């Protein structure tokens, strides 16, 4: 007996206030787009989908062809959903807005269409990350105010990691659930319901080449993990695709960090379409996510491309960093 993600969302809808079928229709736009991306990635070397697109995006980064393809797939599939008021993408400087009433255009979707672009051409896991916000009533602000909501206002969040298998993880605030794409039927099938992040793991995940310019407490923290101060020996794993490094942390526990660096004093990762959705999932699975100064989900965004330091992982490792103290 299989449960597809569509069935699961409909069952969840009974529990969340999005009683209308519009919410599952909305999420089906996301899952459809990810299946298009997955198909493109599976044969990327054969269909000229690899390599640079030849333009830089608002982040000042070289766009890869698959960044552009994934972005267009999401804009196309979601733009057709009449419940969408705005689409915010890592690849677009400004939100794409639709002239829909507050009653019709109820949702804003924020996404990183392809995460881990530097890994595409070397056949290493990449991903798609998304976050769903509900549009505020007109009395509480305009569309811009509805977009710049803190992460705790998310109605849903999730990611797809394109790897040896293609796995979708999502939450609507009632647990974190994983689905594996079954290519023989073209559906995401439930494989791990109500996921729990282990209380403590045995991996830490950070780009250590930046260690010299981290704030001192991060170097001391990594030394603590290495020295066995948390009661176990840690190993290091760093893939360079946030979605893949996060997915391992969700399943195995441990901690992922992207601290402030000299080059990126506010952190490299983006709040709205990287940190917030993953923080929502981490907390739903019993983990924690912090900027180093506070809970990620409490940060009030000032801009759609705002960056933040991100430390996310198991309670034991997170408390050791945030409240000090080893054994
Ligand atoms: P994106 O490909 O969407 O720009 O994201 C890349 C991010 C994230 O996936 C990863 O954790 C991080 O960049 C890696 O940064 P470094 O190469 O500086 O470690
Ligand atoms: Mn990314
Ligand atoms: Mn990206």
């Amino acid at each position: 007996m299989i449960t597809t993600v569509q069935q699961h969302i409909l069952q969840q809808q009974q529990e969340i206030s999005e009683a209308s079928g519009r919410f599952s229709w909305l999420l089906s736009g996301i899952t459809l787009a990810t299946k298009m991306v997955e198909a493109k990635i599976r044969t990327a070397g054969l269909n000229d989908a690899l390599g640079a697109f030849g333009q830089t995006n608002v982040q000042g980064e070289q766009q890869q062809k698959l960044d552009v393809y994934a972005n267009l797939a999401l804009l196309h599939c979601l733009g057709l959903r009449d419940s969408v008021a705005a689409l915010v993408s890592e690849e677009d400087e400004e939100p794409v807005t639709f002239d829909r009433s507050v009653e019709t255009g109820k949702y804003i979707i924020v996404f990183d269409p392809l995460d881990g672009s530097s890994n595409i051409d070397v056949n290493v896991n990449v991903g798609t990350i998304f976050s769903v916000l509900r549009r505020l009533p007109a009395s509480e602000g305009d569309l811009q105010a509805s977009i710049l909501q803190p992460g705790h206002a998310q109605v849903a969040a999730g990611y797809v990691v394109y790897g040896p298998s293609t796995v979708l993880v999502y939450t609507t605030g009632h647990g974190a659930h994983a689905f594996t794409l079954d290519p023989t039927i073209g559906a995401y099938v439930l494989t791990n319901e109500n996921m729990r992040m282990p209380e403590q793991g045995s991996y830490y995940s950070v780009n250590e080449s930046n260690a010299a310019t981290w704030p001192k407490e991060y170097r001391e923290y990594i030394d603590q993990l290495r020295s066995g101060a948390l009661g176990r020996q840690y190993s290091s794993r760093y893939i360079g695709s946030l979605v893949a490094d996060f997915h391992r942390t969700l399943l195995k526990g441990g901690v992922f960090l992207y601290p402030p660096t000299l080059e990126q004093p506010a952190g490299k990762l983006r709040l709205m379409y990287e940190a917030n959705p993953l923080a929502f999932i981490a907390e739903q699975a019993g983990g924690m996510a912090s900027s180093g100064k506070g809970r990620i989900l409490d940060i009030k965004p000032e801009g759609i491309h705002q960056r933040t330091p991100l430390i996310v992982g198991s309670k034991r490792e997170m408390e050791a960093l945030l409240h000090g103290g080893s054994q």
Side-chain angles (χ1 to χ4, degrees):
M1 173 66 179
I2 65 167
T3 301
T4 66
V5 68
Q6 303 308 351
Q7 288 164 322
H8 197 268
I9 292 163
L10 284 167
Q11 288 158 10
Q12 290 262 313
Q13 266 177 174
Q14 268 69 49
E15 294 171 35
I16 63 174
S17 57
E18 311 300 323
S20 71
R22 293 148 63 102
F23 187 66
S24 62
W25 173 234
L26 177 81
L27 288 189
S28 70
I30 296 172
T31 52
L32 173 62
T34 65
K35 290 178 198 172
M36 292 165 66
V37 173
E38 194 271 344
K40 204 83 174 168
I41 286 176
R42 282 282 158 265
T43 56
L46 305 171
N47 60 20
D48 187 34
L50 297 179
F53 180 68
Q55 284 177 12
T56 52
N57 63 12
V58 61
Q59 323 284 339
E61 292 160 348
Q62 262 295 342
Q63 279 185 311
Q64 300 302 300
K65 288 179 192 165
L66 265 173
D67 284 321
V68 175
Y69 177 82
N71 194 38
L72 293 176
L74 278 157
L75 293 172
H76 170 74
C77 293
L78 287 167
L80 297 174
R81 265 59 180 172
D82 65 3
S83 55
V84 171
L87 297 174
V88 175
S89 169
E90 174 197 30
E91 301 300 332
D92 297 318
E93 183 150 11
E94 297 301 328
V96 174
T97 57
F98 300 85
D99 185 16
R100 289 169 178 149
S101 72
V102 178
E103 293 67 39
T104 312
K106 293 176 63 173
Y107 301 107
I108 291 120
I109 319 283
V110 183
F111 52 85
D112 177 357
L114 202 88
D115 174 66
S117 305
S118 62
N119 279 324
I120 297 170
D121 289 3
V122 294
N123 199 31
V124 165
N125 296 23
V126 290
T128 296
I129 313 172
F130 64 88
S131 167
V132 182
L133 294 164
R134 191 183 293 109
R135 189 173 183 177
L136 297 173
S139 58
E140 292 179 33
D142 61 4
L143 188 52
Q144 177 77 344
S146 294
I147 292 171
L148 296 175
Q149 294 182 72
H152 62 66
Q154 291 174 96
V155 177
Y159 62 86
V160 172
V161 51
Y162 309 102
S165 61
T166 295
V167 173
L168 164 78
V169 176
Y170 93 109
T171 183
T172 58
H174 293 79
H177 316 288
F179 300 77
T180 301
L181 181 63
D182 179 342
T184 58
I185 57 173
Y188 282 106
V189 176
L190 182 64
T191 40
N192 195 338
E193 192 165 37
N194 292 313
M195 301 171 85
R196 303 305 299 162
M197 194 186 283
E199 284 285 315
Q200 183 174 3
S202 46
Y203 293 123
Y204 68 85
S205 184
V206 66
N207 183 337
E208 310 204 39
S209 70
N210 300 317
T213 69
W214 296 334
K216 177 164 66 62
E217 61 268 27
Y218 289 99
R219 282 193 297 280
E220 290 165 354
Y221 176 65
I222 296 298
D223 287 344
Q224 218 190 359
L225 296 180
R226 285 182 180 142
S227 67
L230 266 64
R232 65 176 62 173
Q233 189 50 42
Y234 280 80
S235 188
S236 169
R237 288 280 186 285
Y238 191 73
I239 297 173
S241 293
L242 170 63
V243 172
D245 282 319
F246 176 81
H247 191 63
R248 181 199 54 252
T249 306
L250 178 64
L251 293 175
K252 301 287 185 192
V255 60
F256 169 90
L257 312 91
Y258 207 110
T261 66
L262 187 64
E263 212 178 290
Q264 302 273 12
K268 171 181 184 180
L269 300 175
R270 278 58 56 115
L271 173 64
M272 292 207 69
Y273 40 81
E274 290 175 318
N276 271 343
L278 300 186
F280 190 10
I281 289 173
E283 290 195 1
Q284 285 292 310
M288 294 169 70
S290 171
S291 67
K293 294 205 172 7
R295 185 176 174 238
I296 287 285
L297 295 183
D298 289 341
I299 300 174
K300 169 74 179 73
E302 303 303 321
I304 58 173
H305 299 299
Q306 168 172 335
R307 297 175 190 266
T308 176
L310 174 64
I311 307 96
V312 58
S314 297
K315 273 207 172 64
R316 183 76 186 78
E317 287 87 344
M318 292 299 291
E319 278 162 2
L321 174 68
L322 301 173
H323 312 311
S326 45
Q327 296 292 3

